[in-house]
């Protein structure tokens, strides 16, 4: 008769394969996760820190930009004041000249009447 030794070597294994596969897949998955997870978690925390630093940097840059805008507006105001001063000086000079001319014409009129 046919004894247990005559059975194919693959016969019993084929039935066990799904069980072995499932267990092997689980173990391989756990091994893979345990191998890569710490690095991935470190990378995640590093990326989070980097993102937070970028947010802080962006806020700081926005503050600096607003300071520069304020400086530019102050410079514009200073230029406006110096221009106003320049035109004020011109007006004062014109007024002085007009007063001087008025005095001369008054003297000429007075001297014209006397002659």
């Amino acid at each position: 008769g046919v004894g247990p030794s005559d059975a194919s070597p693959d016969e019993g294994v084929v039935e066990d394969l799904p069980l072995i596969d499932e267990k092997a897949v689980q173990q391989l998955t756990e091994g893979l996760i345990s191998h890569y997870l710490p690095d991935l978690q470190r990378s995640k925390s590093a990326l989070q820190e980097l993102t937070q630093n970028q947010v802080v940097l962006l806020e700081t840059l926005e503050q600096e930009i607003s300071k520069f805008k304020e400086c530019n507006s102050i410079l514009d105001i200073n230029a406006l004041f110096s221009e106003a001063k320049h035109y004020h000086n011109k007006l004062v000079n014109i007024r002085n000249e007009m007063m001087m001319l008025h005095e001369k014409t008054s003297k000429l009129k007075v001297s014209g009447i006397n002659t």
Side-chain angles (χ1 to χ4, degrees):
V2 177
S5 60
D6 292 338
S8 168
D10 294 336
E11 195 174 297
V13 178
V14 173
E15 292 168 12
D16 294 341
L17 268 180
L19 183 69
I20 291 169
D21 270 0
E22 194 178 314
K23 196 171 184 182
V25 166
Q26 187 180 349
Q27 287 177 342
L28 284 170
T29 305
E30 286 172 5
L32 195 66
I33 287 173
S34 68
H35 181 73
Y36 285 109
L37 195 61
D39 285 341
L40 288 172
Q41 284 173 334
R42 278 194 293 273
S43 297
K44 181 184 176 184
S45 64
L47 284 171
Q48 284 174 336
E49 189 179 340
L50 183 65
T51 305
Q52 287 170 350
N53 288 342
Q54 282 180 330
V55 168
V56 170
L57 184 63
L58 282 172
E59 288 172 357
T60 308
L61 277 173
E62 284 172 8
Q63 289 172 0
E64 291 301 314
I65 287 169
S66 66
K67 284 180 190 174
F68 277 117
K69 285 180 181 173
E70 285 174 18
C71 286
N72 279 342
S73 62
I74 288 169
L75 287 175
D76 290 344
I77 290 169
N78 286 340
L80 196 64
F81 274 120
S82 64
E83 198 174 343
K85 188 177 179 183
H86 172 72
Y87 283 112
H88 178 262
N89 288 339
K90 275 191 166 189
L91 283 172
V92 167
N93 289 337
I94 290 170
R95 191 187 76 181
N96 290 340
E97 281 182 35
M98 287 177 73
M99 286 172 66
M100 196 172 65
L101 287 172
H102 177 71
E103 281 178 28
K104 283 185 180 179
T105 53
S106 297
K107 285 179 183 175
L108 283 173
K109 284 180 186 175
V110 168
S111 63
I113 292 172
N114 291 341
T115 53

